[in-house]
């Protein structure tokens, strides 16, 4: 049945063609594909030019193949099944057969960059991401159509709960419920876009597009030439410069006034021929940057520049640039093959992209493509052109600058999310140098003059395009230009951290939108690369949470507070041990949980992933509040919050309350049809900001960060007691920085750890990392700045207060295990100034490793330790250290010999002790205390002597002995004896009488003699025993 199309749809298409603005149609229904033909027909009728080209993007499957022969087979099969009537030709099949369609898988969407189409069709809504949405929509020219196909829905609100393909990446083992906040905001934003229509597959406009009721046809331009003000200015500029060479012919190729002015600025710099001059061209996508550069290069050749080098991440990015170089040559009346030749690449990776143009009209001139890291080839260059500079690592771009003219071009605020690093860092540095030169005419030779150009007017579509405004607001693409000014800068100690409710943030309320735009502005201003996909991650990822640091809030003023700092965190961990073991055995890491999986991989540890932690994904400070302590305050408050210091104990002890299910606006779908349903932002929403005292923190064991390693960033985190456990050996392709992951254990009662170590359970892993890093300094990290290497190693260099208990475990052992006696002699010779330092360079790495492992407890200054690190661990020469430390060669050698003297003194002392321990020594007599005291021993000996004397005296008067002296002849002998003395007794009382007895037994005498001998022997034995004891 034929049906008249709503006039408002036709009016929207025609208005878009007249104003060079794009229009968007969202078609809901299973037969939405059939309406593409009608929309394409309307567009063809409205446009005067040829049939519009079509870009058809899909996930993995088309209903009809994009291959001609396969499509014929499919049609034949459909006819055999009776699903296709050959009599009634299907309009869609005719549309497909008529050509002009470009098919593109979403995963291959990068190859359409730089192309322009009249119509873009997006099917498979669940596969769309913000990046894909922006990338495809931006290919549509002014007056073109964007058509989004959705399958049948009972209600538009069912989009809120639709499972998107990207949600698989957001889910982790412990967080599996992804929300559809981004889809909710996307749908609500469609209602606010005046150039967007939501309709069913019969082209009935749905109530969400109520703004279509008031649409009216745009009147045609009344003036004779039909030119706008900027177009008239461009025409006047072309006429004014028509006679000038080479500017006149080249300016005629420009499409906008901005582009014309950019080409003039480039040509001024070329004609000026000032060395050390830089022209930076910054603009969003579709503004004609590459075309302006191409025309400028053609002008440089016409002026006489001989060696021009062009660089970009890939030669494929330079397709437009070389195309406009050739167009410039045509305008300057150069003939291909006669005056110049174009050389294509033979490298299959570059897909026959142009890499060189040889010109030989006046003299031999070349335009040569080089890879960004081949800056050593720039010896003879006169002009260097860097296109898409933001996609090249910043250190590489800096190394490309030299004593020649440089043109830089970069995308800012683009959907690719690049450009802020260049515009914020490099251009800012060049501007400072340029100001210094302008103030001081005799400025330093290293300074560069900078000219900055910005293009705002779009070439692909007319200014004021509604789709561009809608897309920029939806994906927060242009927030960098609208960073809000701060009303005041409160002291960091007065600021508080607040939790941001994401349901409210992405609800599309006016205040919520303003707050979101301000948050994203800080993100874009603070980080080198932002992508629209980050917005979907913030909105839908179940493990992510947002915090903002605000100054004192004055509730009476009833306005949004200034955001000083934004922190985005991601809860990680709580992974089962089985999953960790499986990951290690498979060598595969699932999405998410970056720190647990990396820790598990680095240390082959299956326990750590089961711990719960939080990773700080981003921390962004307001550009006007940098380096004022707000970032540190936010981090400190976050750590205290997760340690439970901010929440009252009564709330901490309460069991987890059962969370109410998230409220969704699906009631309308049960009662109202699609044609009557009216979608509005929700009203029953919680507060946007919640003070941390009012929210119960998750129980965590650690807090971690992953970031690109720079000295300032590392010192910032080190100040907050974070320590590294992983530094990637391959630098990031965008920034040229190594990925660094750091940890801080939180106070937690669930883990047993050594209380003496400030790192807790993390201590042994940290020591292992330091050893590995020190070993890698000689190879992977050889070019790392010494200050950064010292900060990462964090060596102990002050051993004035030697902790014997702590250092006992780090004893050096025998010196001979590390250095031979010949090594020690050579070291002694160097220390005594008898030899050159080259003589000892072979074992300096050994000494350096021992020192940084704290096995040589010698106190060094920071500079001395740095010199030892550069020579011993990084194997660098003195010239390198001169450039790094800005010290003279003699100073470095003086510092080095002082280090060696200190190390030699310590080693010599150890060696002396070792030698002393090997010398022969007298056997040491061990003097042990006697079991009997001296007094007791003397008393015992005295008692024994007394007993012996008593026994002897008693033995004299025994009858048996006296019997020997008895007078046998009674008194006759006695009387004779007395008579001899005149009858008186002698004065002694003794008289002698000769005995006549002869009965004394000799055996007895012998026996008594033997007993005396035995007694004397016993006494000798006793005395000898006493001596031994």
């Amino acid at each position: 049945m034929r049906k008249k199309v709503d006039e408002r749809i036709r009016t929207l298409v025609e208005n878009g063609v007249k104003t060079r603005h794009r229009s968007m149609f969202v078609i809901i229904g299973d037969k939405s594909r059939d309406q593409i033909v009608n929309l394409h027909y309307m567009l063809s009728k409205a446009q005067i030019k040829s049939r519009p080209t079509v870009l058809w993007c899909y996930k993995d499957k088309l209903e009809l193949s994009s291959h001609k022969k396969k499509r014929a087979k499919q049609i034949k099969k459909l006819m055999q099944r009776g699903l296709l009537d050959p009599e009634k030709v299907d309009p869609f099949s005719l549309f497909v057969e008529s050509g002009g369609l470009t098919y593109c898988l979403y995963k291959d969407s990068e190859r359409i960059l730089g192309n322009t189409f009249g119509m873009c069709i997006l099917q498979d809504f669940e596969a769309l991401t913000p990046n894909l949405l922006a990338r495809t929509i931006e290919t549509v020219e002014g007056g073109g159509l964007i058509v989004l196909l959705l399958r049948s829905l009972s209600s538009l609100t069912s989009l809120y709960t639709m499972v998107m393909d990207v949600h698989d990446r957001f889910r982790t083992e412990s967080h599996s419920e992804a929300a559809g906040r981004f889809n909710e905001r996307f749908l609500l934003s469609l209602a606010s876009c005046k150039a967007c229509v939501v309709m069913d597959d019969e082209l009935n406009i749905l109530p969400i597009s109520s703004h279509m009721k008031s649409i009216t046809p745009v009147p045609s331009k009344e003036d004779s030439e039909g030119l706008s003000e900027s177009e008239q200015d461009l025409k006047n500029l072309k006429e004014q410069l028509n006679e000038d060479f080479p500017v006149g012919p080249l300016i005629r190729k420009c499409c906008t006034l901005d582009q014309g002015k950019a080409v003039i600025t480039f040509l001024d710099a070329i004609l000026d021929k000032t060395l050390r001059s830089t022209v930076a061209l910054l603009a969003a996508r579709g503004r004609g940057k590459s075309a302006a550069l191409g025309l400028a290069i053609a002008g440089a050749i016409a002026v006489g520049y001989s060696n021009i080098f062009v660089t970009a991440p890939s030669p494929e990015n330079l397709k437009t640039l070389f195309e406009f170089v050739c167009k410039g040559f045509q305008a300057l009346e150069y003939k291909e093959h006669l005056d110049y030749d174009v050389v294509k690449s033979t490298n299959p990776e570059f897909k026959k992209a142009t890499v060189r143009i040889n010109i030989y009209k006046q003299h031999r001139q070349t335009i040569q493509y080089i890879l960004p890291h081949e800056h050593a080839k720039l010896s003879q260059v006169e002009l260097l052109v860097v296109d898409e500079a933001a996609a090249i690592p910043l250190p590489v771009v800096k190394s490309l600058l030299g004593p020649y003219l440089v043109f830089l071009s970069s995308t800012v605020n683009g959907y690719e999310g690049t450009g802020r690093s260049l515009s914020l860092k490099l251009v800012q540095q060049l501007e400072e140098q340029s100001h210094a030169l302008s103030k001081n005419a005799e400025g330093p030779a290293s300074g560069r003059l900078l000219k900055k150009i910005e293009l705002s007017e779009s070439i692909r579509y007319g200014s004021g395009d509604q789709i561009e405004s809608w897309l920029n607001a939806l994906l927060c693409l242009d927030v960098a230009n609208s960073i809000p000014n701060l009303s005041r800068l409160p002291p960091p100690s007065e600021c508080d951290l607040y939790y941001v409710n994401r349901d409210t943030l992405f609800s599309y309320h006016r205040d919520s939108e303003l707050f979101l735009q301000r948050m994203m502005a800080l993100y874009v201003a603070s980080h080198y690369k932002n992508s629209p996909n980050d917005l979907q991650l913030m909105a839908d990822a179940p493990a992510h949470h947002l915090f903002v640091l605000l100054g004192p809030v004055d509730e009476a003023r009833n306005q949004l507070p200034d955001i000083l700092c934004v922190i985005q965190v991601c809860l990680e961990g709580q992974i089962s041990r089985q999953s960790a073991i499986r990951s290690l055995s498979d060598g595969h890491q699932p999405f998410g949980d970056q720190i647990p999986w990396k820790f598990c991989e680095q240390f082959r540890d299956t326990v750590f992933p089961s711990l719960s932690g939080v990773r700080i994904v981003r921390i962004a400070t307001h550009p006007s509040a940098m380096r004022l302590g707000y970032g540190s305050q936010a981090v400190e408050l976050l750590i205290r919050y997760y340690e439970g210091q901010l929440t009252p104990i009564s709330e901490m002890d309460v069991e987890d309350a059962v969370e109410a299910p998230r409220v969704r606006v699906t009631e309308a779908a049960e009662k109202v049809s699609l044609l009557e349903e009216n979608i509005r932002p929700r009203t029953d929403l919680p507060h946007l900001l919640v003070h941390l005292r009012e929210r119960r923190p998750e129980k965590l064991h650690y807090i971690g960060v992953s970031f690109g390693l720079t000295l300032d960033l590392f010192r910032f985190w080190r100040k907050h007691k974070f320590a590294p456990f992983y530094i990637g050996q391959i630098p990031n392709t965008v920034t040229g920085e190594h990925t660094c992951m750091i940890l801080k254990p939180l106070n937690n009662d669930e883990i047993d750890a050594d209380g003496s170590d400030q790192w807790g359970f993390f201590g042994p892993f940290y020591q292992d990392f330091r050893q590995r890093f020190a070993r890698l300094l000689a190879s992977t990290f050889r070019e790392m700045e010494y200050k950064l290497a010292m900060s990462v190693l964090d060596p102990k260099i002050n051993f004035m207060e030697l902790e014997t208990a702590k250092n006992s475990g780090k004893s050096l052992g025998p010196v001979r295990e590390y250095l031979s006696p010949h090594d020690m002699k050579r070291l002694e010779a160097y220390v005594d100034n008898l030899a050159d330092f080259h003589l000892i360079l072979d074992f300096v790495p050994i000494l350096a490793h021992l020192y940084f492992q704290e096995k040589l407890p010698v106190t060094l200054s920071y500079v001395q330790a740095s010199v030892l690190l550069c020579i011993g661990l990084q194997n660098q020469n003195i010239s390198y250290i001169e450039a790094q430390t800005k010290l003279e060669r003699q100073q470095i050698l003086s510092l080095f010999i002082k280090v060696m003297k200190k190390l030699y003194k310590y080693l010599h002392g150890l060696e002396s002790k070792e030698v002393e321990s090997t010398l022969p020594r007298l056997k040491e007599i061990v003097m042990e205390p006697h079991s009997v005291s001296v007094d007791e021993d003397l008393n015992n000996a005295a008692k024994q002597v007394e007993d012996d004397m008593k026994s002897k005296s008693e033995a004299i008067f025994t009858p048996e002995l006296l019997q020997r002296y008895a007078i046998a002849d009674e008194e006759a002998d006695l009387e004779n004896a007395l008579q001899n003395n005149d009858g008186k007794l002698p004065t002694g009382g003794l008289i002698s009488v000769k005995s006549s007895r002869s009965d004394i037994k000799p055996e007895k005498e012998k026996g008594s003699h033997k007993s005396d001998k035995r007694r004397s022997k016993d006494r000798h034995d006793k005395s000898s025993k006493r001596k031994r004891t």
Side-chain angles (χ1 to χ4, degrees):
M1 185 181 76
R2 295 175 70 85
K3 179 181 175 183
K4 185 171 174 22
V5 176
D6 195 321
E7 276 300 320
R8 293 174 293 178
I9 296 171
R10 191 186 303 277
T11 304
L12 182 64
V13 174
E14 290 174 352
N15 285 355
V17 172
K18 288 176 186 174
T19 57
R20 287 186 66 238
H21 289 176
R22 297 167 294 177
S23 308
M24 183 170 177
F25 295 88
V26 180
I27 308 176
I28 299 167
D30 293 334
K31 295 181 180 178
S32 55
R33 192 190 66 174
D34 298 333
Q35 299 302 338
I36 292 169
V37 185
N38 295 329
L39 290 173
H40 187 266
Y41 178 73
M42 285 183 221
L43 182 61
S44 304
K45 282 287 186 183
Q47 286 182 341
I48 302 165
K49 59 181 185 178
S50 61
R51 193 170 184 268
T53 54
V54 179
L55 171 68
W56 193 306
C57 299
Y58 61 101
K59 178 183 171 183
D60 53 11
K61 191 176 179 182
L62 278 169
E63 289 188 34
L64 282 176
S65 174
S66 58
H67 192 275
K68 194 173 183 180
K69 288 185 178 179
K70 285 183 181 177
R71 189 163 61 244
K73 283 184 182 178
Q74 286 177 337
I75 291 171
K76 191 176 179 182
K77 281 184 181 179
L78 289 171
M79 287 171 67
Q80 287 171 349
R81 290 177 189 168
L83 298 174
L84 192 68
D85 189 353
E87 298 296 324
K88 297 176 183 178
V89 180
D90 181 14
F92 183 74
S93 301
L94 278 175
F95 169 69
V96 171
E97 291 290 341
S98 62
L101 266 77
T102 302
Y103 296 95
C104 179
L105 288 161
Y106 283 132
K107 64 180 181 181
D108 298 330
S109 60
E110 284 187 7
R111 69 183 178 85
I112 62 169
L113 287 175
N115 297 317
T116 304
F117 300 95
M119 187 173 181
C120 174
I121 298 155
L122 306 172
Q123 71 173 52
D124 304 319
F125 180 77
E126 68 278 0
L128 271 178
T129 64
N131 270 11
L132 290 173
L133 195 66
R135 192 180 287 164
T136 51
I137 288 175
E138 283 293 306
T139 61
V140 180
E141 64 186 354
L145 304 182
I146 300 119
V147 183
L148 184 61
L149 306 181
L150 292 173
R151 61 174 184 266
S152 289
L153 299 172
S154 58
S155 163
L156 284 174
T157 53
S158 56
L159 280 179
Y160 295 1
T161 52
M162 181 183 281
V163 178
M164 306 295 281
D165 291 354
V166 76
H167 286 176
D168 286 339
R169 299 187 62 180
F170 296 164
R171 295 190 190 97
T172 61
E173 189 169 315
S174 55
H175 300 89
S176 56
E177 291 294 324
R181 299 183 187 94
F182 184 82
N183 283 1
E184 179 180 347
R185 183 168 170 267
F186 170 77
L187 185 62
L188 291 167
S189 72
L190 292 178
S192 66
C193 180
K194 304 294 183 189
C196 175
V197 184
V198 183
M199 51 194 185
D200 63 11
D201 53 7
E202 294 181 357
L203 298 188
N204 297 314
I205 298 173
L206 301 187
I208 189 173
S209 300
S210 56
H211 55 265
M212 288 296 291
K213 291 177 182 176
S214 58
I215 190 169
T216 54
V218 174
S220 299
K221 292 176 182 175
E222 296 295 329
D223 58 326
S224 56
E225 295 183 352
L227 297 176
S228 66
E229 187 180 345
S230 60
E231 288 171 339
Q232 188 62 49
D233 288 343
L234 178 63
K235 185 182 177 184
N236 295 339
L237 184 66
K238 288 178 179 178
E239 291 173 356
Q240 184 183 341
L241 299 171
N242 191 33
E243 300 300 323
D244 294 350
F245 184 87
V247 183
L250 295 175
I251 206 82
R252 286 200 290 271
K253 294 287 180 183
C254 296
C255 297
T256 64
L257 184 63
D258 278 352
Q259 194 181 34
K261 288 179 178 177
V263 171
I264 291 170
T265 308
F266 280 135
L267 291 172
D268 281 345
I270 288 167
L271 293 166
D272 190 22
K273 294 190 177 181
T274 305
L275 293 178
R276 299 192 178 278
S277 182
T278 307
V279 185
L281 178 62
L282 307 174
R285 293 273 174 191
R287 295 322 192 244
K289 296 184 302 298
S290 297
L293 279 175
L295 294 173
I297 291 171
I301 291 293
V303 169
Y305 279 67
S306 299
N307 293 315
I308 299 174
F309 285 81
V310 184
T311 186
S314 165
E316 292 177 275
N317 301 127
L318 298 172
K319 178 184 172 185
T320 306
L321 185 139
F322 279 118
E323 182 186 331
F324 273 84
V325 169
C326 295
K327 284 186 178 180
F329 285 159
Q330 290 169 12
L332 296 168
E333 298 180 356
Y334 280 53
K335 304 292 182 187
E336 191 174 0
H337 305 306
L338 292 174
D339 298 326
Y340 69 93
D341 281 328
V342 178
V343 181
K344 304 281 185 181
S345 173
T346 55
N347 188 338
E349 290 181 9
F350 295 158
K351 299 174 184 174
K352 296 183 180 178
T354 303
V355 291
R356 184 183 179 98
I357 299 178
N358 292 320
I359 304 103
Y360 27 78
K361 184 173 184 179
Q362 302 166 1
H363 59 280
R364 184 169 181 78
Q365 298 165 287
T366 56
I367 304 168
Q368 172 72 50
Y369 169 78
I370 62 164
L371 290 166
H373 59 267
E374 294 177 338
H375 49 84
K377 296 181 179 179
L378 298 173
S379 56
Q380 301 296 320
V381 67
E382 293 171 288
L383 168 63
L384 173 68
V385 178
V386 185
D387 197 12
E388 291 302 340
I392 302 172
L394 195 60
V396 176
V397 177
K398 284 184 179 178
S399 65
L400 287 168
L401 304 180
Y404 36 77
L405 185 60
V406 178
F407 290 169
L408 290 172
S409 148
S410 180
T411 304
V412 291
N413 305 339
Y415 47 84
E416 291 304 308
T418 57
R420 296 307 295 165
S421 172
L422 185 90
S423 58
L424 283 174
K425 296 178 185 174
L426 181 63
V427 175
Q428 185 180 2
Q429 289 173 11
L430 292 173
E431 278 180 335
E432 287 171 1
Q433 289 182 11
S434 184
H435 288 318
L437 276 176
S438 60
K439 287 178 183 175
N440 182 11
E442 301 174 1
S446 61
R448 299 188 67 88
L449 286 166
L450 176 74
K451 292 179 182 175
K452 192 172 167 185
I453 314 167
E454 293 189 4
L455 305 181
S456 57
E457 197 175 343
S458 172
I459 292 174
R460 196 169 282 153
Y461 41 81
S463 57
D465 183 74
Q466 292 279 345
I467 297 297
E468 183 184 36
S469 305
W470 165 77
L471 196 64
N472 285 346
L474 174 69
L475 304 181
C476 303
L477 293 179
D478 61 347
V479 290
N481 297 331
S482 56
I483 297 172
N485 294 321
L486 295 175
S487 56
R488 63 183 285 260
L489 288 171
S493 56
E494 292 181 10
C495 300
D496 274 323
L497 200 62
Y498 291 82
Y499 177 80
V500 182
N501 187 295
R502 291 188 293 164
D503 286 343
T504 310
L505 185 67
F506 290 94
S507 63
Y508 206 67
H509 277 278
R510 187 171 57 86
D511 287 341
S512 296
E513 276 299 295
L514 183 58
F515 199 79
L516 176 64
Q517 299 282 341
R518 287 184 180 180
M519 285 178 69
M520 291 306 295
L522 296 199
Y523 270 1
V524 173
S526 301
H527 288 77
Y528 63 90
K529 182 167 183 176
N530 290 270
S531 142
N533 281 353
D534 297 339
L535 201 64
Q536 192 169 20
L537 180 75
M538 280 173 62
D540 294 357
H544 283 246
H545 297 281
L546 298 168
F547 298 88
V548 289
L549 185 76
L550 308 176
V553 179
D554 185 4
E555 296 181 5
R557 295 180 66 183
N558 195 23
Q559 66 176 27
L560 284 174
D562 292 329
I563 304 173
L564 296 165
C565 187
V566 182
I567 296 184
Q568 182 178 346
V569 301
C570 174
L571 297 174
E572 296 188 332
Q574 293 180 308
I575 301 166
S576 65
R577 193 160 186 182
Q578 289 76 17
S579 300
I581 293 168
R582 195 185 317 120
S583 172
L584 285 177
S585 59
D586 296 347
H588 170 69
Q589 295 180 9
F591 286 117
D593 293 317
Q594 277 188 26
I595 285 178
W597 288 127
K598 186 58 72 176
F599 199 98
C600 178
E601 175 198 69
Q602 290 296 304
F603 300 105
R604 319 305 289 174
D605 182 78
T606 56
V607 177
F608 183 84
S610 63
L611 303 179
S612 55
V614 66
R615 173 170 58 90
I616 298 177
V617 180
R618 288 188 170 194
I619 176 167
T621 308
H622 195 288
S624 305
M626 295 279 193
R627 300 185 180 276
L628 295 177
Y630 294 110
S632 294
Q633 176 72 0
V635 171
E636 281 299 321
L637 288 171
L638 190 72
I639 293 168
R640 287 176 57 201
Y641 168 66
Y642 279 122
E643 285 186 339
Q645 297 178 24
L646 299 183
T647 310
I649 295 173
S650 58
E651 289 187 29
M652 291 287 290
D653 294 339
V654 175
E655 290 296 317
D656 292 337
V658 179
E659 290 187 9
R662 296 178 74 243
V663 181
R664 286 294 181 202
V665 190
T666 52
E667 293 82 359
E670 299 170 5
K671 303 174 184 177
V672 185
S673 70
L674 206 60
L675 289 171
E676 297 172 352
E677 183 184 26
N678 207 346
I679 304 294
R680 287 192 176 87
R682 288 185 286 154
T683 53
D684 53 340
L685 289 163
H687 293 299
L688 175 64
L689 300 174
V690 181
H691 197 282
L692 294 188
R693 286 193 297 269
E694 299 165 14
R695 184 179 185 270
R696 192 166 181 266
E698 292 80 4
K699 289 182 179 177
L700 303 178
H701 301 102
Y702 63 86
I703 185 166
V705 194
S706 175
F707 60 95
L709 185 61
T710 61
L711 184 61
D712 288 343
L713 265 180
F714 188 83
R715 283 179 173 172
F716 172 82
W717 291 112
R718 195 75 205 213
K719 183 173 68 175
H720 294 285
K721 304 290 189 294
F722 283 79
F725 72 89
Y726 167 76
I727 293 178
Q729 297 185 34
I730 301 169
N732 185 290
T733 53
V734 177
T735 60
E737 297 165 353
H738 295 271
T739 301
C740 178
M741 291 188 181
I742 55 178
L743 271 190
K744 176 183 173 67
L746 296 175
N747 294 332
N748 195 300
D749 301 331
E750 296 177 11
I751 299 179
D752 291 330
D754 183 8
S756 62
D757 189 354
Q758 64 163 328
W759 302 114
F761 74 89
F762 180 51
F765 300 107
Y766 176 45
Q767 294 305 326
D768 181 66
F769 162 78
R770 288 177 63 196
Q771 286 189 14
R772 291 178 62 197
F773 180 74
R775 289 195 287 263
L776 286 170
L777 278 172
S779 53
T780 310
F781 303 119
R782 189 165 181 257
E783 300 300 323
M784 182 178 282
E785 189 186 0
Y786 78 94
K787 291 179 186 175
L788 183 54
M790 284 287 286
S791 295
V792 173
L793 269 182
D794 192 28
K796 182 176 181 180
I797 58 177
N798 184 9
F799 291 90
M800 297 299 284
E801 299 173 5
L802 189 63
E803 301 166 23
T804 52
K806 190 173 179 181
N807 282 278
S808 61
K810 296 186 179 180
S811 58
L812 180 63
V815 175
R816 287 172 182 267
E817 287 185 12
Y818 306 99
L819 300 179
S820 69
H822 301 291
D823 290 336
M824 288 298 292
K825 285 179 181 177
R826 282 187 287 144
L827 181 58
E828 183 183 7
Y830 173 66
V831 166
D832 292 340
N833 287 318
L834 299 176
D836 188 52
F837 74 95
H838 293 98
L839 191 69
I840 63 166
L841 280 182
D842 57 318
F843 58 81
V844 169
I846 298 170
L847 295 177
H849 278 284
L850 291 173
Y851 180 77
F852 288 109
Q853 289 171 17
E854 298 176 21
K855 290 184 178 179
L856 297 176
V858 175
T859 299
L860 299 180
S861 69
Y862 179 84
V863 186
Q864 289 172 342
S866 301
V867 170
L868 182 62
L869 179 135
C870 291
I871 297 175
L873 297 186
Q874 291 188 308
N875 297 337
Q876 296 288 3
N877 56 32
I878 304 298
S879 303
Y880 172 86
I881 304 171
E882 276 186 274
Q884 285 275 312
T885 59
K886 304 291 186 290
L887 295 174
E888 293 182 4
R889 183 183 180 85
Q890 288 305 316
Q891 286 178 290
I892 294 166
L893 291 174
S894 172
L895 289 165
F896 182 62
I897 197 169
K898 284 178 183 175
V899 172
M900 290 299 114
K901 280 180 179 178
K902 290 182 179 181
L903 296 181
Y904 174 73
K905 183 180 177 182
Y906 179 76
L907 290 170
H908 184 67
L910 280 182
E911 200 174 36
S912 302
K913 290 177 183 176
E914 288 172 22
V915 171
E916 192 179 340
S917 65
T918 59
L919 293 173
R921 292 183 180 182
L922 291 171
K923 187 177 179 181
E924 190 175 347
I925 299 171
V926 181
M927 303 292 287
E928 294 180 356
H930 203 280
S931 58
V932 181
S933 67
V934 177
D935 292 339
E936 288 176 355
D937 196 23
L938 290 172
N939 292 336
N940 291 339
K943 190 177 179 183
Q944 189 177 352
V945 170
E946 286 175 2
D947 291 346
D948 288 348
M949 288 175 66
K950 189 177 179 181
S951 60
K952 281 180 183 178
S953 61
E954 288 177 356
I956 294 171
F957 299 104
T958 53
E960 292 81 6
L961 289 172
L962 293 174
Q963 190 63 39
R964 293 171 59 186
Y965 306 105
I967 300 169
D969 296 331
E970 298 180 356
E971 296 178 2
D973 291 335
L974 180 62
E975 287 175 1
N976 289 334
L978 289 171
Q979 284 174 2
N980 291 337
N981 290 318
D982 296 330
K984 295 177 182 177
L985 286 172
T987 54
L990 293 173
I991 57 171
S992 297
V993 180
K994 187 177 179 180
S995 175
S996 59
R997 287 181 63 114
S998 60
D999 56 349
I1000 299 171
K1001 295 177 181 178
E1003 290 84 10
K1004 222 172 193 178
E1005 287 178 9
K1006 284 180 185 175
S1008 65
H1009 181 64
K1010 281 181 182 176
S1011 66
D1012 287 343
K1013 275 187 177 180
R1014 197 180 294 115
R1015 194 178 292 115
S1016 66
K1017 188 181 178 185
D1018 288 345
R1019 279 182 190 151
H1020 178 72
D1021 289 344
K1022 280 182 183 178
S1023 64
S1024 65
K1025 277 182 185 176
R1026 192 179 294 119
K1027 279 181 184 176
R1028 278 199 297 272
T1029 56

